Amino acid sequence: MSLGLVVVEVCDRNAMALLPLEELEEKFPEAAVMRTNCLNMCNMCRARPYAMVNENRVHAATPEECLEQVEEAVREEIRLFFE
């Protein structure tokens, strides 16, 4: 069970939903992954892979690149919290 200091939200219809995002919770115990059927960003959802990290949009050209950026954003949120 994660602490949820960092919340990663992903729309089920986005390309990011195809990745094993729950592994983020194993890698970062402070993070919680939430999958939802809609984040109300339909144009973004169709255009490119994206996720919300503590309500900040993270996007990239491919799901794999986006996952790397999500991990970086999670690390930064954790760093800021513990400063």
Side-chain angles (χ1 to χ4, degrees):
M1 179 184 213
S2 63
L3 296 173
L5 298 175
V6 181
V7 177
V8 178
E9 296 176 272
V10 178
C11 176
D12 287 337
R13 296 179 181 119
N14 189 266
M16 288 294 291
L18 299 174
L19 299 178
L21 298 172
E22 286 69 25
E23 290 177 3
L24 285 172
E25 293 176 343
E26 294 172 15
K27 191 170 186 176
F28 303 102
E30 303 88 352
V33 174
M34 295 177 56
R35 293 176 183 261
T36 182
N37 66 355
C38 187
L39 291 173
N40 294 320
M41 294 188 186
C42 296
N43 291 331
M44 176 63 113
C45 197
R46 284 187 213 112
R48 63 182 49 197
Y50 84 97
M52 301 296 288
V53 178
N54 279 0
E55 299 184 12
N56 296 309
R57 187 173 45 222
V58 176
H59 57 86
T62 68
E64 294 76 19
E65 289 173 4
C66 190
L67 181 58
E68 288 175 18
Q69 291 187 16
V70 165
E71 288 185 11
E72 187 176 310
V74 168
R75 278 189 205 91
E76 180 64 12
E77 290 288 330
I78 293 167
R79 185 189 68 75
L80 290 172
F81 181 82
F82 286 110
E83 271 191 341

